[in-house]
Amino acid sequence: MASHRKSRPSATRVAGIRTPALATAALTSVALLSQTANAAPSEDGKPSLEEVEKKVDALYRQAESATEKYNAAKERTGKQRKQVDTLLDDVAQRTDRLNKAREELGSFAAAQYRTGASAPDTSTFLLADTPQDYFDQSQLMNRLTSRQKDAVDDYATQQSATMAKRQEAAKSLESLTETQDDLKTAKSTVQAKLASARELLSQLDAQEKARLAEIEKKQRAAAAAKAAELAEQQAAAERKDAPSSSGPASGGSSSSSGSSYGTKAAKAIAFARAQIGKPYVWGATGPGSYDCSGLSQAAWKAAGVSLPRTTYDQVNAGTTVSLADARPGDLVFFYGDVTHVGIYIGDGMMIHAPKPGAYVREESIYYGGESIIHSVVRPA
């Protein structure tokens, strides 16, 4: 593979948060489904509801991972294309200067040809009508020789520089082509995974879809209860640590609005909240639709903070804090490969663009279980 590709984050333990490499939302859904769905295939050979849910969840996860790879390749493509354009413009300018230097050399050669000699000698003196004629011709030839040398040196310099720039442009074009191939591969992967997920879901009848909806409802209720527990823990820690009612908030709904971070976080959250109801679209950065990292980037941009495009880079764009110390505005990252992100709003809740087919919404950070939470990062 190309040397410019960066390695993806591996599973680690960050700020006391457990991050198993294989943790996925499917683990949580399977646990619930095993209590409510029959794992055995139906009599007509169709996969069971549990199998469909597990496969669909895995496909969405794979699509989201491919989306972040697509985002990274797209960002690299944009930067490399600008670099190539700049280099090609430089090559064109240098080629123009080289051509002018070549024309100047040609004019000197023509001038020498017209004079009939490369340098004056005794025979030239004998053929001259007067000593003054010889002196004038000698001075002319000396001047031509000196200027010609300068022209040759300039031509050589221009030629060397032009060749170097052409080689640099060729390498940049090669890198751009390779990144474009990565972009196409990631795009094809996302489309294939989503198509497979749609195909599996299309096999469900109305009754099965209703059962899935009920299971998801139970999952949301469990996640909300877990979020309420975190909110209570954060509130208790705040009451314990704060010397007075004017003490700073540590992570509940009441952010430290008087602080610089609190002010920026409030703007980011306000922007994110205004996007609620807009569809998740992979690779989208707004304003009509978003993917998860596109939303977090746009929200913090509204607060005057520039974040990288992908979750892989956003996770390193700030200070890592523990989940217990999470404050509104912080970014919560999920899964061992860091392929999902949400914007924490306090009380164990976040705003995020969940997955294909869903819309930007407020949701518990435990929507897929506690085990999939990777880390919490404060971006400003």
Side-chain angles (χ1 to χ4, degrees):
M1 302 299 281
S3 59
H4 65 269
R5 298 180 188 173
K6 66 178 291 184
S7 59
R8 298 310 183 202
S10 58
T12 55
R13 182 181 293 272
V14 181
I17 299 175
R18 184 163 57 89
T19 59
L22 298 179
T24 65
L27 297 177
T28 301
S29 59
V30 168
L32 289 172
L33 285 163
S34 63
Q35 302 173 14
T36 56
N38 183 3
S42 60
E43 294 181 358
D44 59 4
K46 291 175 60 178
S48 68
L49 185 60
E50 180 183 28
E51 291 172 334
V52 172
E53 174 71 5
K54 183 177 180 180
K55 290 179 180 178
V56 167
D57 187 73
L59 287 167
Y60 280 151
R61 280 279 296 111
Q62 292 163 10
E64 192 168 38
S65 178
T67 293
E68 289 305 310
K69 292 178 182 178
Y70 171 87
N71 291 339
K74 185 177 181 180
E75 187 175 43
R76 286 201 310 273
T77 298
K79 292 179 180 179
Q80 289 173 345
R81 184 174 287 114
K82 289 180 180 179
Q83 183 181 28
V84 167
D85 289 343
T86 299
L87 286 170
L88 291 178
D89 286 343
D90 194 1
V91 168
Q93 293 173 7
R94 289 181 182 277
T95 300
D96 184 58
R97 290 196 293 268
L98 182 64
N99 290 335
K100 290 180 179 178
R102 184 183 292 111
E103 290 172 2
E104 188 174 6
L105 279 178
S107 67
F108 285 135
Q112 285 187 335
Y113 179 79
R114 287 193 300 271
T115 61
S118 60
D121 53 20
T122 304
S123 61
T124 304
F125 175 75
L126 293 175
L127 292 173
D129 294 334
T130 66
Q132 184 62 43
D133 289 341
Y134 171 81
F135 176 78
D136 292 341
Q137 186 182 31
S138 176
Q139 292 286 59
L140 172 63
M141 293 304 298
N142 285 338
R143 286 198 302 272
L144 284 175
T145 300
S146 176
R147 290 179 59 190
Q148 184 182 33
K149 182 178 182 301
D150 291 341
V152 169
D153 290 342
D154 180 58
Y155 179 79
T157 299
Q158 295 295 342
Q159 186 180 44
S160 177
T162 300
M163 290 300 297
K165 283 297 179 181
R166 284 176 179 172
Q167 292 175 355
E168 186 178 354
K171 289 182 179 179
S172 294
L173 278 170
E174 183 179 354
S175 295
L176 175 59
T177 300
E178 190 172 316
T179 304
Q180 288 175 327
D181 289 341
D182 291 344
L183 190 67
K184 292 177 181 177
T185 298
K187 182 177 181 179
S188 296
T189 301
V190 174
Q191 292 174 331
K193 298 300 181 183
L194 295 181
S196 296
R198 287 193 295 268
E199 174 63 23
L200 285 171
L201 290 173
S202 69
Q203 298 174 12
L204 302 180
D205 58 29
Q207 184 178 5
E208 289 171 325
K209 290 179 180 179
R211 288 174 61 197
L212 276 181
E214 185 62 28
I215 291 170
E216 292 178 356
K217 182 178 179 180
K218 291 180 179 179
Q219 289 176 330
R220 288 195 295 270
K226 188 67 177 177
E229 289 180 16
L230 176 62
E232 180 54 36
Q233 292 170 4
Q234 290 177 332
E238 179 184 344
R239 290 192 298 268
K240 179 180 178 181
D241 295 339
S244 66
S245 59
S246 60
S250 62
S253 298
S254 56
S255 67
S256 52
S257 57
S259 70
S260 174
Y261 179 76
T263 301
K264 293 177 181 178
K267 292 180 180 179
I269 292 173
F271 178 92
R273 186 165 278 123
Q275 312 314 308
I276 290 176
K278 293 183 178 180
Y280 174 103
V281 174
W282 66 275
T285 57
S289 58
Y290 298 88
D291 63 17
C292 65
S293 56
L295 177 63
S296 56
Q297 183 188 50
W300 271 101
K301 182 179 180 181
V305 176
S306 179
L307 291 181
R309 174 64 182 94
T310 69
T311 54
Y312 306 129
D313 294 323
Q314 289 180 8
V315 73
N316 296 315
T319 303
T320 301
V321 299
S322 68
L323 183 58
D325 292 329
R327 290 165 52 182
D330 292 350
L331 300 179
V332 185
F333 294 91
F334 299 87
Y335 306 109
D337 54 357
V338 197
T339 52
H340 189 68
V341 63
I343 304 166
Y344 191 64
I345 59 175
D347 291 338
M349 301 294 288
M350 66 178 175
I351 297 174
H352 70 149
K355 61 183 178 181
Y359 298 84
V360 175
R361 65 193 182 203
E362 288 187 16
E363 193 164 26
S364 167
I365 62 172
Y366 298 105
Y367 76 103
E370 185 175 3
S371 64
I372 70 167
I373 299 176
H374 177 276
S375 57
V376 180
V377 172
R378 190 158 296 152

